[in-house]
Amino acid sequence: MGAQPPEETTLAWDFTTEPEFQEKLDWIQRFCDEKVEPLHHVFPYAVRLPDPAVKAYVRELQQEVKDQGLWALFLDEELGGPGFGQLKLALVNEILGRYPAAPQLFGAAAPDTGNMEMLAAYGTEEQKKRWLEPLINQEMFSAYSMTEPQGGSDPNLFKTHAVKDGDEWVINGEKWFTSAGRNADILFVMCTNGMYVVPRETPGVEIMPEPRAHNHIKYNDVRVPLDHLLGPEDGAKVLAQRRLGGGRIHHAMRTIAQCNLAFDMMCERALSRESHGSIIGEHQMVQEKIAESYAKLKMLRLFVLETAWKIDNTSTQEARTEIAAVKFTMARVLREISFDALHIHGSLGTTDLTPLQAMYAGAPTMGLADGADEVHKSTVARRVLKGYRPHEGNFPREFIPYKKEEAWEKMQPVFETHPELSESAKNWKKYFANR
């Protein structure tokens, strides 16, 4: 009788990508290398430039993306997108994050992505037609007006409020760090009693001169129709969590893309520069930076992908601990890897002639965007501790005298059937007691 073939074993998660989707990833990589990156360097901010010739070329590139079924890829199938799920979306964002222009060319740039998710999930059919469709087609742009000067990102400290007056809502309050607010067509304003869509040119919307990119906005008796309330009244926190949860995974994978870029530059530089008689990649201090960066990058990537997998197989709510942990870890890893890469590049790394200075400067922002890292660390600790209980008495459960006592109790049935083993155990107990 011949040898039987070994039984096949199947892993629930085997770290491979299905061939069909890998082809999509390969196409994205080629498209970004050959078309997106050159566009960014020749026409920065191409998607928003008013130049008709540039607009026409951007539309041409975006049509290629649409023909591949990759447009607005963050939306679930029932919301009008390809329905990739978080794991596939994470792998896509690992490529897009390396190219500044890529998210907008794929219709997947923040802050529009999160705002479109809210509209798709909670908007009425009329609201979707009025705002979601133009946002998806990049016929208009949006901003998310959430944090406030006195309370940061803590919604319990918010003061911006809407009052119903006849057939209008009257909004009063002050928002801080509304990214791209001055360039937005509509603002999603988080109030204490709901989420409201406010056209930027509505009377009473006052955008302060500074800061330029992340705007300070005052809402002074801003009036919008009743149908500008998005979702239920008093439902702003629910909408915000829907918006921010998946977005943190997108940010994490795009951060990994930046870390990969910094790491590639670090290794290339280590093999290209000489110092003290040898290439610097042979110096142990440089080798340490490369080895540490490699390990940090691999661990973070696997953690983010596992979190994305968990969201797909459970829910964003079930993965809250992992999402929060990913959030504060990615900022630290970006800061450390970009600094080491900058350091290995020497004086060149401190200039704006490479991406490294901007990466390192952006790391603190990543630690504050979507909530300060300290808040997420507290969330992780609180949620983790719910899975534990205190030990009894003065000593932990792993207190060795306790473990020995429990071991003797568990071994009693064995000793009863093996008297010689029982005798041996007693002898060894005496031996150890007298040592």
Side-chain angles (χ1 to χ4, degrees):
M1 187 175 177
Q4 295 296 311
E7 291 186 13
E8 289 189 6
T9 57
T10 305
L11 291 175
W13 190 36
D14 62 4
F15 301 94
T16 60
T17 304
E18 59 193 48
E20 296 83 1
F21 192 69
Q22 185 58 54
E23 288 179 10
K24 288 288 187 187
L25 295 175
D26 293 341
W27 183 89
I28 294 169
Q29 185 67 67
R30 289 194 303 273
F31 182 75
C32 288
D33 282 340
E34 296 168 8
K35 297 183 178 182
V36 175
E37 187 173 44
L39 177 73
H40 169 69
H41 286 297
V42 177
F43 298 106
Y45 314 110
V47 170
R48 292 181 182 246
L49 288 180
D51 187 315
V54 177
K55 272 187 177 294
Y57 183 60
V58 165
R59 293 300 187 197
E60 184 181 315
L61 295 183
Q62 290 176 332
Q63 189 58 50
E64 291 188 50
V65 173
K66 292 175 182 178
D67 292 343
Q68 290 288 325
L70 294 168
W71 184 257
L73 41 79
F74 59 93
L75 287 178
D76 294 336
E77 204 165 359
E78 64 271 19
L79 300 179
F84 280 162
Q86 291 295 329
L87 183 54
K88 286 184 175 180
L89 191 54
L91 294 171
V92 171
N93 276 306
E94 186 179 18
I95 301 172
L96 301 187
R98 192 169 179 128
Y99 307 91
Q104 286 194 326
L105 282 169
F106 280 74
D112 289 328
T113 47
N115 297 335
M116 284 190 271
E117 281 190 80
M118 288 195 299
L119 272 171
Y122 296 98
T124 65
E125 290 308 310
E126 197 281 329
Q127 287 174 332
K128 290 177 185 177
K129 188 167 185 61
R130 191 192 308 180
W131 296 312
L132 179 58
E133 290 180 16
L135 283 171
I136 288 177
N137 295 327
Q138 291 187 347
E139 294 164 359
M140 65 166 54
F141 296 95
S142 65
Y144 186 52
S145 208
M146 176 186 170
T147 52
E148 299 193 0
Q150 79 289 340
S153 59
D154 184 350
N156 296 316
L157 297 176
F158 289 176
K159 295 179 180 178
T160 303
H161 188 73
V163 176
K164 190 181 293 185
D165 183 21
D167 58 356
E168 293 180 315
W169 292 102
V170 183
I171 300 172
N172 279 283
E174 194 171 350
K175 294 293 184 178
W176 170 255
F177 236 66
T178 298
S179 300
R182 71 173 64 252
N183 299 314
D185 297 292
I186 54 175
L187 305 159
F188 287 75
V189 184
M190 186 174 178
C191 295
T192 57
N193 59 330
M195 189 77 70
Y196 298 85
V197 181
V198 178
R200 177 177 54 83
E201 294 186 355
T202 304
V205 175
E206 183 184 1
I207 300 179
M208 310 306 288
E210 300 292 342
R212 298 290 299 173
H214 306 280
N215 306 127
H216 180 189
I217 303 178
K218 294 182 179 180
Y219 296 90
N220 305 307
D221 290 328
V222 173
R223 290 180 173 270
V224 294
L226 293 180
D227 63 1
H228 282 46
L229 169 65
L230 180 61
E233 196 172 347
D234 296 321
K237 289 183 182 179
V238 175
L239 271 69
Q241 281 304 317
R242 169 65 186 247
R243 183 187 190 280
L244 295 172
R248 287 172 182 141
I249 299 300
H250 308 174
H251 282 317
M253 289 309 290
R254 291 178 189 178
T255 299
I256 287 169
Q258 291 291 294
C259 291
N260 270 319
L261 176 56
F263 184 72
D264 290 346
M265 293 179 65
M266 182 192 309
C267 293
E268 178 188 70
R269 190 68 167 178
L271 294 174
S272 305
R273 293 283 284 186
E274 290 188 14
S275 176
H276 298 284
S278 64
I279 60 169
I280 61 175
E282 294 177 0
H283 298 323
Q284 288 182 335
M285 294 294 283
V286 173
Q287 291 173 345
E288 180 189 38
K289 287 179 170 59
I290 292 170
E292 291 281 359
S293 295
Y294 176 82
K296 291 171 190 172
L297 186 49
K298 288 293 184 183
M299 287 187 284
L300 176 60
R301 183 178 187 270
L302 287 175
F303 186 21
V304 177
L305 291 177
E306 183 197 10
T307 303
W309 174 88
K310 184 171 182 178
I311 294 172
D312 286 345
N313 286 275
T314 57
S315 67
T316 301
Q317 182 65 25
E318 287 292 320
R320 275 188 66 194
T321 304
E322 289 84 356
I323 292 170
V326 160
K327 165 66 177 68
F328 68 74
T329 304
M330 66 178 180
R332 174 173 53 80
V333 172
L334 174 63
R335 182 179 69 247
E336 292 173 355
I337 292 180
S338 62
F339 176 80
D340 285 344
L342 186 156
H343 198 70
I344 286 174
H345 277 73
S347 58
L348 178 62
T350 68
T351 72
D352 60 1
L353 298 176
T354 78
L356 295 173
Q357 178 64 35
M359 273 188 223
Y360 183 59
T365 301
M366 191 59 68
L368 291 169
D370 295 342
D373 283 352
E374 289 79 3
V375 174
H376 293 285
K377 288 178 181 178
S378 294
T379 297
V380 170
R382 286 196 307 270
R383 292 179 65 84
V384 167
L385 288 174
K386 287 179 181 178
Y388 291 84
R389 57 187 175 87
H391 62 72
E392 298 176 1
N394 295 324
F395 302 106
R397 289 189 183 88
E398 296 301 316
F399 187 52
I400 291 177
Y402 289 168
K403 302 297 284 187
K404 287 182 177 178
E405 187 177 334
E406 290 173 8
W408 276 88
E409 291 177 7
K410 290 178 180 178
M411 289 290 289
Q412 283 309 311
V414 179
F415 291 155
E416 289 172 4
T417 57
H418 298 75
E420 72 287 355
L421 188 63
S422 174
E423 192 61 31
S424 182
K426 291 174 184 176
N427 291 335
W428 278 108
K429 187 175 183 180
K430 289 178 183 177
Y431 170 74
F432 285 117
N434 294 325
R435 283 183 68 183

